[in-house]
Amino acid sequence: MTAEDSEGNWVPAMLAIRDRQDRAAFADLFRHFAPRVKAFLIKSGMSPALAEECAQDVMATLWQKAHLFDPERASVATWVFTIARNRRIDALRRAKRPEPEDLPWGPEPEPDQADAFEMQQETDRLGKALAQLPEKQRALIERAYFGDLSHTEIAEETGLPLGTIKSRIRLALEKLRHHMS
Amino acid sequence: MTEGKTKMTIRHHVSDQLLMAYSAGQLPEAFGLVVATHLSMCDECRARAGAFDAVGGSMIERCGTIAMDDGSLDAVLARLSGAPEPRPEPRRRKGLFPTPLADVIGGDLDAVKWRPIGMGVRQAILPMAKDASARLLHIPAGQAVPDHGHRGMELTLVLQGAFRDESDRFGPGDLEIADEEMEHTPVAEAGADCICLAATDAPLRFNSLMPRLLQPIFRI
């Protein structure tokens, strides 16, 4: 029995870390995500030793920053990606990525389960849509995310199917604004 | 100023190309600063950036696995000494500048060290990684900025006031993306002085000795 439910939803594990400092839930997340983060970082040009070190840092950050995770705006995989990306910039370029200002309203303490679930579903749909892109296009997008393309090399028309996931994030932003004002 | 965010009508947004590069972590710091500042003013682009991050999430799920070293999990568990950090106070702007910009300047408008560059126009070069440069521009209302072409890509984000050029009008929050083909003569509108954040990767294109020698003079 792991903290991942039958739908591949890691949100309960993240909330268990945030609310109960649940180490077993963390161990489940680690077993799933750490080897993926390590592979991502190696594909991004890191040595295996550095990738190991950075993947450990990414997972530790997942615990430390658990309060910043907002399941209505991102899946756990997406959140892991943003932490890994920032760690990569820090390690390879010794720089920090400028981050947007925080919203004045943070993640809700009790996220709406249906909305959070929808967000995870949306991410899964996006993944499937990406997998069905023509090989050439998919390879280009992968290279971009592995840091193998400069910003000038990234094609104008990516053709990414982002419509519904964008709308869902937009709705989550509006909902937060409405709740807090 | 908090009111301004909701009233602001932004018509010129970050391109998909730039947002994807920002999400992938591939933008020079100066461009990243402009994008992060625009995202701070524009929920539409913030949501679009979130969608591009989700593409990255999908990469994490689909890029395969490489086994962690033996004892890796225990090593990380040993580092987790306490509860997750409490949620920090949100970084929020205190004046005109959204926080990504205020962080670089070390304050708001009154902390900017302007230098005159002629015709009443003032600029302040911001400390950035060398792959692209960023500066603030202060253009008096009604003033034209001399005709100029671009060597590389130039991003111009309006923070206050507005300017017009041959292509369109750009008000607060609007982002103009200019490439090398573009030659334009921006004119600040009447009303408030126009304050912009501009970034260019032009110095990257300079490979010969002469422009290298000139760069320190123009710093842009």
Side-chain angles (χ1 to χ4, degrees), chain B residues 192-211:
Chain B
D193 288 350
C194 184
I195 298 174
C196 299
L197 171 64
T200 176
D201 59 1
L204 268 183
R205 307 293 180 95
F206 293 150
N207 292 318
S208 67
L209 182 61
M210 234 1 240

PDB file of all heavy atoms in Angstrom, chain B residues 192-211:
ATOM      1  N   ALA B 192       1.223  60.835 -17.753  1.00  0.00           N
ATOM      2  CA  ALA B 192       2.322  60.437 -16.867  1.00  0.00           C
ATOM      3  C   ALA B 192       3.571  60.130 -17.700  1.00  0.00           C
ATOM      4  O   ALA B 192       3.461  59.653 -18.834  1.00  0.00           O
ATOM      5  CB  ALA B 192       1.921  59.209 -16.061  1.00  0.00           C
ATOM      6  N   ASP B 193       4.749  60.406 -17.149  1.00  0.00           N
ATOM      7  CA  ASP B 193       5.985  59.989 -17.804  1.00  0.00           C
ATOM      8  C   ASP B 193       5.939  58.472 -17.985  1.00  0.00           C
ATOM      9  O   ASP B 193       5.316  57.764 -17.194  1.00  0.00           O
ATOM     10  CB  ASP B 193       7.198  60.356 -16.942  1.00  0.00           C
ATOM     11  CG  ASP B 193       7.448  61.865 -16.941  1.00  0.00           C
ATOM     12  OD1 ASP B 193       6.803  62.580 -17.750  1.00  0.00           O
ATOM     13  OD2 ASP B 193       8.274  62.317 -16.131  1.00  0.00           O
ATOM     14  N   CYS B 194       6.615  58.026 -19.041  1.00  0.00           N
ATOM     15  CA  CYS B 194       6.584  56.592 -19.340  1.00  0.00           C
ATOM     16  C   CYS B 194       7.798  55.906 -18.700  1.00  0.00           C
ATOM     17  O   CYS B 194       8.938  56.329 -18.915  1.00  0.00           O
ATOM     18  CB  CYS B 194       6.579  56.388 -20.852  1.00  0.00           C
ATOM     19  SG  CYS B 194       6.427  54.667 -21.322  1.00  0.00           S
ATOM     20  N   ILE B 195       7.547  54.888 -17.919  1.00  0.00           N
ATOM     21  CA  ILE B 195       8.633  54.105 -17.323  1.00  0.00           C
ATOM     22  C   ILE B 195       8.523  52.672 -17.823  1.00  0.00           C
ATOM     23  O   ILE B 195       7.461  52.046 -17.726  1.00  0.00           O
ATOM     24  CB  ILE B 195       8.579  54.159 -15.783  1.00  0.00           C
ATOM     25  CG1 ILE B 195       8.755  55.612 -15.316  1.00  0.00           C
ATOM     26  CG2 ILE B 195       9.652  53.264 -15.167  1.00  0.00           C
ATOM     27  CD1 ILE B 195       8.576  55.802 -13.828  1.00  0.00           C
ATOM     28  N   CYS B 196       9.617  52.203 -18.410  1.00  0.00           N
ATOM     29  CA  CYS B 196       9.626  50.863 -19.008  1.00  0.00           C
ATOM     30  C   CYS B 196      10.795  50.048 -18.473  1.00  0.00           C
ATOM     31  O   CYS B 196      11.840  50.589 -18.119  1.00  0.00           O
ATOM     32  CB  CYS B 196       9.814  50.946 -20.527  1.00  0.00           C
ATOM     33  SG  CYS B 196       8.536  51.834 -21.377  1.00  0.00           S
ATOM     34  N   LEU B 197      10.601  48.740 -18.490  1.00  0.00           N
ATOM     35  CA  LEU B 197      11.685  47.793 -18.261  1.00  0.00           C
ATOM     36  C   LEU B 197      12.014  47.186 -19.612  1.00  0.00           C
ATOM     37  O   LEU B 197      11.127  46.643 -20.272  1.00  0.00           O
ATOM     38  CB  LEU B 197      11.238  46.713 -17.274  1.00  0.00           C
ATOM     39  CG  LEU B 197      12.174  45.521 -17.085  1.00  0.00           C
ATOM     40  CD1 LEU B 197      13.508  45.959 -16.491  1.00  0.00           C
ATOM     41  CD2 LEU B 197      11.526  44.456 -16.191  1.00  0.00           C
ATOM     42  N   ALA B 198      13.274  47.304 -20.043  1.00  0.00           N
ATOM     43  CA  ALA B 198      13.661  46.790 -21.357  1.00  0.00           C
ATOM     44  C   ALA B 198      14.816  45.819 -21.208  1.00  0.00           C
ATOM     45  O   ALA B 198      15.699  46.000 -20.370  1.00  0.00           O
ATOM     46  CB  ALA B 198      14.053  47.941 -22.284  1.00  0.00           C
ATOM     47  N   ALA B 199      14.807  44.763 -22.011  1.00  0.00           N
ATOM     48  CA  ALA B 199      15.900  43.786 -21.984  1.00  0.00           C
ATOM     49  C   ALA B 199      16.280  43.426 -23.402  1.00  0.00           C
ATOM     50  O   ALA B 199      15.423  43.351 -24.282  1.00  0.00           O
ATOM     51  CB  ALA B 199      15.480  42.534 -21.219  1.00  0.00           C
ATOM     52  N   THR B 200      17.552  43.213 -23.640  1.00  0.00           N
ATOM     53  CA  THR B 200      17.997  42.807 -24.969  1.00  0.00           C
ATOM     54  C   THR B 200      19.155  41.818 -24.859  1.00  0.00           C
ATOM     55  O   THR B 200      19.945  41.873 -23.928  1.00  0.00           O
ATOM     56  CB  THR B 200      18.435  44.021 -25.819  1.00  0.00           C
ATOM     57  OG1 THR B 200      18.950  43.560 -27.058  1.00  0.00           O
ATOM     58  CG2 THR B 200      19.508  44.830 -25.119  1.00  0.00           C
ATOM     59  N   ASP B 201      19.196  40.915 -25.837  1.00  0.00           N
ATOM     60  CA  ASP B 201      20.326  39.983 -25.876  1.00  0.00           C
ATOM     61  C   ASP B 201      21.339  40.423 -26.924  1.00  0.00           C
ATOM     62  O   ASP B 201      22.212  39.660 -27.311  1.00  0.00           O
ATOM     63  CB  ASP B 201      19.857  38.547 -26.140  1.00  0.00           C
ATOM     64  CG  ASP B 201      19.105  38.394 -27.463  1.00  0.00           C
ATOM     65  OD1 ASP B 201      18.952  39.399 -28.191  1.00  0.00           O
ATOM     66  OD2 ASP B 201      18.666  37.271 -27.755  1.00  0.00           O
ATOM     67  N   ALA B 202      21.219  41.670 -27.388  1.00  0.00           N
ATOM     68  CA  ALA B 202      22.105  42.157 -28.441  1.00  0.00           C
ATOM     69  C   ALA B 202      23.590  41.930 -28.158  1.00  0.00           C
ATOM     70  O   ALA B 202      24.314  41.530 -29.064  1.00  0.00           O
ATOM     71  CB  ALA B 202      21.840  43.630 -28.717  1.00  0.00           C
ATOM     72  N   PRO B 203      24.073  42.158 -26.937  1.00  0.00           N
ATOM     73  CA  PRO B 203      25.511  41.986 -26.724  1.00  0.00           C
ATOM     74  C   PRO B 203      26.010  40.591 -27.102  1.00  0.00           C
ATOM     75  O   PRO B 203      27.160  40.432 -27.469  1.00  0.00           O
ATOM     76  CB  PRO B 203      25.675  42.221 -25.220  1.00  0.00           C
ATOM     77  CG  PRO B 203      24.548  43.125 -24.882  1.00  0.00           C
ATOM     78  CD  PRO B 203      23.405  42.678 -25.761  1.00  0.00           C
ATOM     79  N   LEU B 204      25.117  39.611 -27.066  1.00  0.00           N
ATOM     80  CA  LEU B 204      25.494  38.266 -27.471  1.00  0.00           C
ATOM     81  C   LEU B 204      25.963  38.218 -28.916  1.00  0.00           C
ATOM     82  O   LEU B 204      26.775  37.397 -29.283  1.00  0.00           O
ATOM     83  CB  LEU B 204      24.259  37.353 -27.378  1.00  0.00           C
ATOM     84  CG  LEU B 204      24.036  36.607 -26.095  1.00  0.00           C
ATOM     85  CD1 LEU B 204      22.806  35.725 -26.256  1.00  0.00           C
ATOM     86  CD2 LEU B 204      25.248  35.757 -25.747  1.00  0.00           C
ATOM     87  N   ARG B 205      25.390  39.096 -29.746  1.00  0.00           N
ATOM     88  CA  ARG B 205      25.682  39.052 -31.168  1.00  0.00           C
ATOM     89  C   ARG B 205      27.029  39.694 -31.504  1.00  0.00           C
ATOM     90  O   ARG B 205      27.506  39.578 -32.599  1.00  0.00           O
ATOM     91  CB  ARG B 205      24.584  39.783 -31.960  1.00  0.00           C
ATOM     92  CG  ARG B 205      23.200  39.301 -31.653  1.00  0.00           C
ATOM     93  CD  ARG B 205      23.039  37.875 -32.143  1.00  0.00           C
ATOM     94  NE  ARG B 205      21.699  37.374 -31.865  1.00  0.00           N
ATOM     95  CZ  ARG B 205      20.699  37.399 -32.732  1.00  0.00           C
ATOM     96  NH1 ARG B 205      20.878  37.879 -33.922  1.00  0.00           N
ATOM     97  NH2 ARG B 205      19.527  36.927 -32.399  1.00  0.00           N
ATOM     98  N   PHE B 206      27.579  40.433 -30.578  1.00  0.00           N
ATOM     99  CA  PHE B 206      28.839  41.127 -30.871  1.00  0.00           C
ATOM    100  C   PHE B 206      30.012  40.174 -30.754  1.00  0.00           C
ATOM    101  O   PHE B 206      30.367  39.727 -29.675  1.00  0.00           O
ATOM    102  CB  PHE B 206      29.066  42.276 -29.890  1.00  0.00           C
ATOM    103  CG  PHE B 206      28.081  43.378 -30.031  1.00  0.00           C
ATOM    104  CD1 PHE B 206      27.730  44.148 -28.942  1.00  0.00           C
ATOM    105  CD2 PHE B 206      27.507  43.656 -31.252  1.00  0.00           C
ATOM    106  CE1 PHE B 206      26.821  45.172 -29.070  1.00  0.00           C
ATOM    107  CE2 PHE B 206      26.587  44.688 -31.393  1.00  0.00           C
ATOM    108  CZ  PHE B 206      26.248  45.448 -30.295  1.00  0.00           C
ATOM    109  N   ASN B 207      30.617  39.861 -31.873  1.00  0.00           N
ATOM    110  CA  ASN B 207      31.782  38.979 -31.818  1.00  0.00           C
ATOM    111  C   ASN B 207      33.053  39.715 -32.194  1.00  0.00           C
ATOM    112  O   ASN B 207      34.138  39.280 -31.880  1.00  0.00           O
ATOM    113  CB  ASN B 207      31.585  37.789 -32.745  1.00  0.00           C
ATOM    114  CG  ASN B 207      30.488  36.889 -32.224  1.00  0.00           C
ATOM    115  OD1 ASN B 207      30.420  36.634 -31.027  1.00  0.00           O
ATOM    116  ND2 ASN B 207      29.611  36.453 -33.103  1.00  0.00           N
ATOM    117  N   SER B 208      32.923  40.825 -32.905  1.00  0.00           N
ATOM    118  CA  SER B 208      34.125  41.532 -33.337  1.00  0.00           C
ATOM    119  C   SER B 208      34.624  42.453 -32.226  1.00  0.00           C
ATOM    120  O   SER B 208      33.933  42.717 -31.251  1.00  0.00           O
ATOM    121  CB  SER B 208      33.830  42.333 -34.597  1.00  0.00           C
ATOM    122  OG  SER B 208      32.927  43.363 -34.274  1.00  0.00           O
ATOM    123  N   LEU B 209      35.831  42.929 -32.425  1.00  0.00           N
ATOM    124  CA  LEU B 209      36.484  43.718 -31.382  1.00  0.00           C
ATOM    125  C   LEU B 209      35.819  45.082 -31.194  1.00  0.00           C
ATOM    126  O   LEU B 209      35.604  45.530 -30.087  1.00  0.00           O
ATOM    127  CB  LEU B 209      37.963  43.896 -31.744  1.00  0.00           C
ATOM    128  CG  LEU B 209      38.796  44.655 -30.718  1.00  0.00           C
ATOM    129  CD1 LEU B 209      38.810  43.924 -29.393  1.00  0.00           C
ATOM    130  CD2 LEU B 209      40.213  44.841 -31.240  1.00  0.00           C
ATOM    131  N   MET B 210      35.471  45.739 -32.317  1.00  0.00           N
ATOM    132  CA  MET B 210      34.963  47.100 -32.226  1.00  0.00           C
ATOM    133  C   MET B 210      33.736  47.224 -31.322  1.00  0.00           C
ATOM    134  O   MET B 210      33.756  48.008 -30.383  1.00  0.00           O
ATOM    135  CB  MET B 210      34.621  47.593 -33.644  1.00  0.00           C
ATOM    136  CG  MET B 210      35.251  48.909 -34.083  1.00  0.00           C
ATOM    137  SD  MET B 210      36.325  49.737 -32.943  1.00  0.00           S
ATOM    138  CE  MET B 210      35.417  51.254 -32.805  1.00  0.00           C
ATOM    139  N   PRO B 211      32.676  46.455 -31.584  1.00  0.00           N
ATOM    140  CA  PRO B 211      31.507  46.582 -30.700  1.00  0.00           C
ATOM    141  C   PRO B 211      31.851  46.262 -29.250  1.00  0.00           C
ATOM    142  O   PRO B 211      31.308  46.870 -28.337  1.00  0.00           O
ATOM    143  CB  PRO B 211      30.523  45.569 -31.286  1.00  0.00           C
ATOM    144  CG  PRO B 211      30.945  45.428 -32.704  1.00  0.00           C
ATOM    145  CD  PRO B 211      32.435  45.567 -32.699  1.00  0.00           C
TER     146      PRO B 211
END
